Structures are given as structure tokens and as C-alpha cells.
Amino acid sequence: MKFEKIDDLRITDCLDILGIDIFAVKSIVNSYNDFSGFHQSLYENCQNGDDETTKLIINRLSELLYNDKESYSLCNCKADYQNYLSEWEDGLWREEAESAVKRIEESESERKYYESHKNTIAGLITYIDKYPKGKYVNSARQLLDDKLNKRKKLTYSIVAIALIVVAVVCYLNYHSVSYLNSIDDISCGKRGGDISFTISTDAISENIRLIESEDWIDITKDGYNCIVSISPNRDSSRKASITVCAYTTFFGIKLNEKEINFNVDQSSGVASFLAVNDYDIHFNKFSSETCAIYATTDGMNLNISTDGIDDDWIDVDYSIVEDGDNNKAEIRVVSQNNEGGEKEGYIVITSDSFSKRIRISQESGLASRFEVSTTYLTMAEEGTEEGTHYPVRIETDGTTWSVKNSPYWLNAEAKVSSGLLSVTLEPNSGDTRYGTITLVSNNGHIREIEVKQWGDPSDFSASRSTLKFGTSSDYEYVNIDNDSRKSFYVSSDKTWLTVSKQSDSRIRISCMTNNDSPRKGTVTVTCGRKNLSITVKQKGWKCCENCNGTGTISRMVMRNGNLIGYTPMGTAVWGPPYPAIEYISCPRCKDSGKKGYIVKDCD
């Protein structure tokens, strides 16, 4: 075997080099306790001679064996043995260390099993069966005996207590009855009510039962105290009986019973009279009239109904109260506005065989007269301020009237209670506007109010849209139609043209003399946001084509004095007989007022 350092050799390496059997080495170690003994004995068993290397290896092996034995001899617990096994991979005592670890683990396992099972009888029996020769088996047997003795004593105690409990339960569940006293008969009036009484008996309250013979009585029991609830009697007098039973029981089983009976008498609830305080009530056509009717009877069947009355014109409300031994009805009748014709109906009061009919009537609320204080309403352009309105007084004998329709730009509100039509509206930013408010009475009468709100003119026009003047200075009047309250003003676009306002419906348009060509201008009339345009034309002068602006023309005359024709200016007809040439005024422009020119219209 090759190696570099002797200090790196382990026990098995040294044994292989020296040729010493491991069992022989273990025997040597067990025979000697000191290092010198290991060393001498190893020399004696070595087969490699006596060279220096062999001596060094024997020294190394002696040291390892001594340390191995020392490490093993210091082990006292599982962790020590486990550390030894991890440190000495080829130690001589590994088998002994592994056995010790296994023994310790088994002991710990047995202890844990015992600790987890020692608190119950079943657990102790399981431990003894699994570890019959275990470390704690004697303690387990003693502990098991103690627990079995305690269980036996507890069982005897439970049985004794159970017998006592059974005896007590039997005693507590035996309930006997030895007496049940009689109860006097009960009398009750027609209105019924609650009557209380107490049962006298030695029976427990749970063993007492009450039975009523009629469904108009009902009994409730609280212990030995009882209450008989008797319903009102609406028929003739009647009688019922109540049976009281008391039982002896054992565990709820009835063994015997005692029984007593008593009667319940109730007087008649049938009416013997019916009286009312009024038979005829008349209301006017307006709302909020109230009337009270009182009815009295000794019967229990007092009923109120109506005939021909509905909620549209009369509200009927009533209450029935006790009045001594009688019943009294207070009927409250409230009228409403009558928007129709005359109304009539009845309140019917009955009590058994008695019946009273009370006539209720109301005068007609239909209008026979429906007038308005004005049929025309003119309103400012600015509209109405908050809290203000245009009022129209309404005169009518009808109970109501309404606005059937109105223009979208105003609010027409019918204030019927005040007899007014209230009109409110916003400012007008457009033309003067017109409309109609239509009112209708509850009898179908129609009244119309024409309304107007000032604004810009909706009818704004001139009597003439075009004026024509000659060449001389002149003027003309034009009428202006304006259905607004706003004033208009005028202007012109030419200096030769003058316009002036004569009145709220008339203007004057004048022109200067024209010595030049024909001309045209515009007069503008403005009112609010609207304008009118009037075109003004004036005639002018044009060169005469006949005389070319000279104002004269030539003509030829025969010698015998007879006119034979005209020739253009500067020309003549030659040849015999030779005409005489005469210059005369141009017939086309000679009367125009300007030599050589003729008057021409403006296009």
C-alpha cells in the first residue's frame, strides 16, 4: 500500500500494512489499558520485520487504538455514541456503539409509549400487551389496578345515584287531585268583555283543562287564574257553559279526574229604538261646509252607509262610541266645491229592524254668468318683474273656471279663489307678438282675451318702395306703417338726397337739381332691429344723338318755297335745282331745357 504521510493513516490502513487481523487487535486492546501495552503487543504480532517504517506505523496504530478506546469509553448517552460513530468510521467499537444507540432508542420509544398510554385503562392494557417485560411494566400493572378499583367504586356510586334520581322523578311526576271547588255562574252585558276567576284545587295547573261550549266565549289560563273573553252580542240573549276538569297523572298518564260546570249568560244586543237629530241637510256650492249628525240606539248592530253619495262632492266620516248602555254614532259630513249640477244623496243609518234616511243635497255649481274685466291686454316689452303680474278680474257665479289655452310666451294662471287671471311673461327680444288667452267656465262658456307684448315692429313697411324725380329739385311724402311703440329714424346715402321725419307715420324725401347724368340713392328707415330701404331715382341729361349736342340741324328748301326734307347737320343735296340750306333748332331737344341734350331716366 502506498501512502505519503503516516499521520494520514487510519486504523484499517495500518492493519493492512502490518498484516495484523482486526480481531487480534481488538483482543490486544481489551487486554491492555495503556499505550505502552498496545505498543509492545503490536510488535509481537507484526509480520513485517523490524524496519524503521514498521516502527512508525506501529506507533501510529497504537496511538489510534488508544484514542479509539478512550472515545468509546467516554460515551454515556445516545448523542455521545452517535458522535463516536461519525468520528471513528473504522473504530473497533462501532458495533458496540450502534447496539447502544439502538438500545437507547428502543428505551426512549417504550418510555414515550408508556407516557402516552398511562392515563387510561385501555392504554395501560395496550402497553402491557406490547411490552410484557418492559421497563415500566410493574408501574403500569400497579396503575392499572388502581384505575380499575376507582372505576368499580364510581360504578356503584352511579347506580346508587341513578336509583335515587328514578325515585325522585317518579315522585315528581305523580300529581294527584283531591278537590275541585265549584265556581258561580257568570252574567255579562251585550257588549261582552273579560271576566276573571280563580280555580281552587290541589291539582297542578298543567293538569287543569277548561272547555267552552260556544265559540263566542274564549278562555285563557295562566296557572290557576283564568280569563273568560266574551264577544259582543249582536243577537238575542244567549247562554253557554264552561267545564273545568282536573286530573291525577303519573308521568302524564291520566289516572282519574274531577269535573265541575258553570254557566255564562249574556243579555240581548238587538235594538229597541233608533233616534237621529236631523233628516235634511243642504250645502251651498262652495267647499268647506261641515255638518254633524248624531244617531243613538241600544242595539249593537249600528251601521252607516250612503246612497247616491260619492267622494266627488261629499266626504262622509263617522265614529261609533259607547253612550251609557247605548251606542252613539257621530257622522261628520264635509262638502266640496260643486263643479256640476245640483247634487242629492242619502246617509242611511240602520240598527237591526230600524232604519233612518237623511237627505244630503248641494246647490248647483255650474256657471250661469262668466265675464272678464277686459278682452284686450297690452304688455310691456320688458315683461313682468318677480312678484308682479297683469291681473284680469273674472266675474262668475260658478265654483270654478280654468285656462283652456294660452300663447307659449306667457304664463296664464287661474287664481280661482281670488277671482283673478294672473299673467306673467319674460322680456321680448323679438317682434311685437300677439296671441289669445282662452278661458272656460265649468259650464263650458268661453271667453277670449287678446294679448299683445310690445317689441320690434312685426308690421313695418313703407307706402312706396321706389321714388322717381325729374332733373329739377323736388320732394315727396312716404307713409310708414309701424305697429310697435318704438320710434324710427331715417338716413340717406347720398348728399343730393335729403330725408326728414314728419311724424310717427310720415317722412319727407327731397332731391336737388340734377345737371348731370341720371343718379340713384337709398333712404333707410330704422326701428329697433329692423330696417326699411326706399330706392330714390332722379333723371339726368344725355347728349342728343339727333344734333350731336349742337342744338341745331339743317334742312333743304325748294326755291319755290316748298319744303322737301331735312338733311343731317353739315350735309346737303347737290344738283339742280340746288336747294337752299337753312339751320333750325333740333326738334328732339329744343324743348328739353338744355341745348343739345335730352332727359334720360336712371336705370
Side-chain angles (χ1 to χ4, degrees):
M1 177 178 179
K2 295 180 179 181
F3 56 91
E4 295 181 357
K5 292 174 62 178
I6 292 178
D7 290 342
D8 293 335
L9 295 176
R10 299 182 301 171
I11 293 176
T12 53
D13 296 334
C14 294
L15 293 176
D16 290 341
I17 294 172
L18 297 175
I20 301 174
D21 183 67
I22 191 170
F23 295 106
V25 171
K26 194 169 185 179
S27 175
I28 293 171
V29 172
N30 285 330
S31 300
Y32 299 97
N33 293 324
D34 55 355
F35 177 80
S36 59
F38 293 162
H39 190 272
Q40 183 61 36
S41 180
L42 289 175
Y43 266 118
E44 294 174 358
N45 285 276
C46 179
Q47 301 175 4
N48 290 355
D50 194 19
D51 56 59
E52 187 65 28
T53 300
T54 300
K55 292 178 180 180
L56 292 174
I57 293 173
I58 291 173
N59 289 337
R60 170 65 177 168
L61 178 59
S62 300
E63 181 182 358
L64 291 173
L65 292 174
Y66 179 79
N67 291 335
D68 179 28
K69 186 173 183 180
E70 281 292 315
S71 295
Y72 177 74
S73 63
L74 294 175
C75 293
N76 293 314
C77 62
K78 178 181 176 181
D80 293 340
Y81 288 113
Q82 288 176 335
N83 289 334
Y84 170 79
L85 290 173
S86 62
E87 181 179 355
W88 295 92
E89 294 180 359
D90 57 351
L92 300 181
W93 314 100
R94 289 186 62 83
E95 290 184 5
E96 288 80 354
E98 288 173 352
S99 298
V101 170
K102 183 177 180 182
R103 183 176 65 257
I104 292 171
E105 287 178 349
E106 289 176 351
S107 177
E108 288 180 351
S109 176
E110 179 187 357
R111 181 185 62 77
K112 290 180 180 179
Y113 193 85
Y114 172 72
E115 291 294 333
S116 64
H117 288 74
K118 70 179 183 178
N119 295 323
T120 64
I121 293 175
L124 290 169
I125 293 172
T126 303
Y127 168 77
I128 294 170
D129 290 342
K130 186 172 182 178
Y131 298 98
K133 296 181 180 181
K135 182 178 179 180
Y136 309 99
V137 69
N138 292 330
S139 298
R141 292 182 187 281
Q142 182 62 43
L143 189 57
L144 178 61
D145 291 340
D146 292 342
K147 288 184 178 294
L148 289 174
N149 289 331
K150 288 181 179 179
R151 173 184 282 184
K152 186 181 297 184
K153 292 178 180 179
L154 179 61
T155 302
Y156 291 153
S157 299
I158 291 173
V159 171
I161 292 171
L163 292 174
I164 294 171
V165 170
V166 169
V168 171
V169 169
C170 290
Y171 174 77
L172 294 176
N173 282 276
Y174 176 74
H175 306 291
S176 64
V177 56
S178 60
Y179 68 91
L180 179 63
N181 291 340
S182 176
I183 301 172
D184 294 335
D185 291 342
I186 296 174
S187 295
C188 180
K190 58 191 173 186
R191 289 197 176 91
D194 294 337
I195 299 174
S196 60
F197 65 91
T198 302
I199 299 173
S200 178
T201 181
D202 60 347
I204 63 172
S205 62
E206 291 81 357
N207 286 356
I208 299 173
R209 187 164 66 96
L210 296 98
I211 305 168
E212 60 271 14
S213 64
E214 302 292 341
D215 58 5
W216 51 270
I217 60 176
D218 183 53
I219 303 176
T220 56
K221 183 173 71 68
D222 182 12
Y224 297 97
N225 298 317
C226 303
I227 298 177
V228 180
S229 298
I230 303 172
S231 302
N233 185 13
R234 303 184 182 280
D235 295 316
S236 57
S237 60
R238 55 190 179 183
K239 180 180 291 188
S241 63
I242 295 176
T243 300
V244 182
C245 300
Y247 302 95
T248 296
T249 59
F250 182 64
F251 283 99
I253 301 172
K254 296 178 182 178
L255 302 179
N256 59 54
E257 71 174 288
K258 290 183 178 295
E259 179 181 299
I260 58 173
N261 295 283
F262 62 94
N263 296 322
V264 178
D265 296 318
Q266 188 176 22
S267 57
S268 173
V270 177
S272 63
F273 74 93
L274 174 62
V276 296
N277 68 324
D278 205 341
Y279 288 92
D280 195 346
I281 298 174
H282 183 70
F283 292 107
N284 65 33
K285 56 191 170 186
F286 297 104
S287 64
S288 299
E289 276 197 287
T290 304
C291 182
I293 304 169
Y294 298 95
T296 305
T297 180
D298 59 349
M300 291 295 294
N301 300 316
L302 182 58
N303 295 309
I304 314 296
S305 61
T306 60
D307 181 9
I309 294 177
D310 55 47
D311 294 338
D312 291 339
W313 63 285
I314 292 293
D315 289 329
V316 179
D317 188 19
Y318 66 89
S319 61
I320 298 175
V321 297
E322 296 179 4
D323 184 18
D325 198 38
N326 298 327
N327 286 325
K328 184 177 182 179
E330 180 179 355
I331 307 166
R332 187 170 179 269
V333 184
V334 181
S335 67
Q336 301 180 27
N337 258 4
N338 185 6
E339 298 181 12
E342 185 177 354
K343 304 292 178 78
E344 182 180 85
Y346 294 89
I347 295 177
V348 182
I349 306 172
T350 61
S351 181
D352 297 318
S353 61
F354 298 93
S355 178
K356 304 291 183 181
R357 289 172 66 85
I358 300 171
R359 179 176 178 270
I360 308 294
S361 59
Q362 187 177 23
E363 67 176 317
S364 173
L366 294 176
S368 62
R369 179 172 56 86
F370 187 47
E371 302 297 336
V372 294
S373 61
T374 181
T375 59
Y376 191 81
L377 199 59
T378 302
M379 295 166 287
E381 181 180 357
E382 295 77 19
T384 53
E385 297 180 356
E386 185 177 357
T388 64
H389 66 106
Y390 287 94
V392 178
R393 175 67 60 182
I394 308 299
E395 299 290 342
T396 181
D397 58 351
T399 55
T400 188
W401 53 274
S402 61
V403 178
K404 185 175 182 181
N405 51 58
S406 63
Y408 73 91
W409 43 269
L410 57 78
N411 178 46
E413 181 183 359
K415 296 187 175 182
V416 177
S417 60
S418 302
L420 287 177
L421 171 69
S422 172
V423 181
T424 56
L425 67 167
E426 298 293 327
N428 184 10
S429 60
D431 295 350
T432 298
R433 47 193 178 186
Y434 302 85
T436 301
I437 299 175
T438 303
L439 307 180
V440 60
S441 74
N442 62 359
N443 206 14
H445 300 146
I446 298 295
R447 296 293 181 267
E448 293 183 345
I449 301 172
E450 300 298 326
V451 290
K452 178 172 81 170
Q453 185 182 16
W454 292 113
D456 289 345
S458 59
D459 181 10
F460 186 47
S461 61
S463 60
R464 296 174 66 183
S465 62
T466 303
L467 294 181
K468 293 183 178 181
F469 291 109
T471 56
S472 301
S473 63
D474 199 357
Y475 66 89
E476 287 194 26
Y477 294 98
V478 177
N479 294 326
I480 303 298
D481 290 329
N482 176 16
D483 63 351
S484 73
R485 291 194 305 177
K486 295 180 178 180
S487 297
F488 62 83
Y489 61 92
V490 293
S491 63
S492 66
D493 64 345
K494 304 296 182 181
T495 57
W496 56 269
L497 191 59
T498 303
V499 59
S500 62
K501 181 177 179 182
Q502 301 296 301
S503 68
D504 288 339
S505 61
R506 193 180 190 191
I507 63 173
R508 183 179 184 270
I509 301 174
S510 59
C511 65
M512 300 172 63
T513 300
N514 186 11
N515 291 317
D516 206 338
S517 301
R519 55 191 179 185
K520 182 169 63 174
T522 301
V523 171
T524 301
V525 185
T526 302
C527 183
R529 290 171 291 275
K530 290 198 170 183
N531 295 314
L532 290 176
S533 294
I534 302 173
T535 302
V536 180
K537 298 180 179 180
Q538 187 176 20
K539 295 179 179 181
W541 297 98
K542 178 183 179 184
C543 183
C544 180
E545 296 176 353
N546 189 44
C547 65
N548 199 24
T550 63
T552 60
I553 60 172
S554 62
R555 69 176 180 176
M556 56 185 183
V557 181
M558 296 304 293
R559 292 188 183 277
N560 56 6
N562 294 323
L563 178 65
I564 61 174
Y566 296 95
T567 62
M569 180 78 177
T571 64
V573 179
W574 300 104
Y578 294 101
I581 302 302
E582 182 181 0
Y583 291 95
I584 62 175
S585 296
C586 177
R588 184 174 296 177
C589 64
K590 70 177 181 177
D591 297 325
S592 66
K594 187 176 181 182
K595 185 178 179 180
Y597 287 84
I598 59 175
V599 176
K600 178 175 174 55
D601 286 336
C602 178
D603 294 334

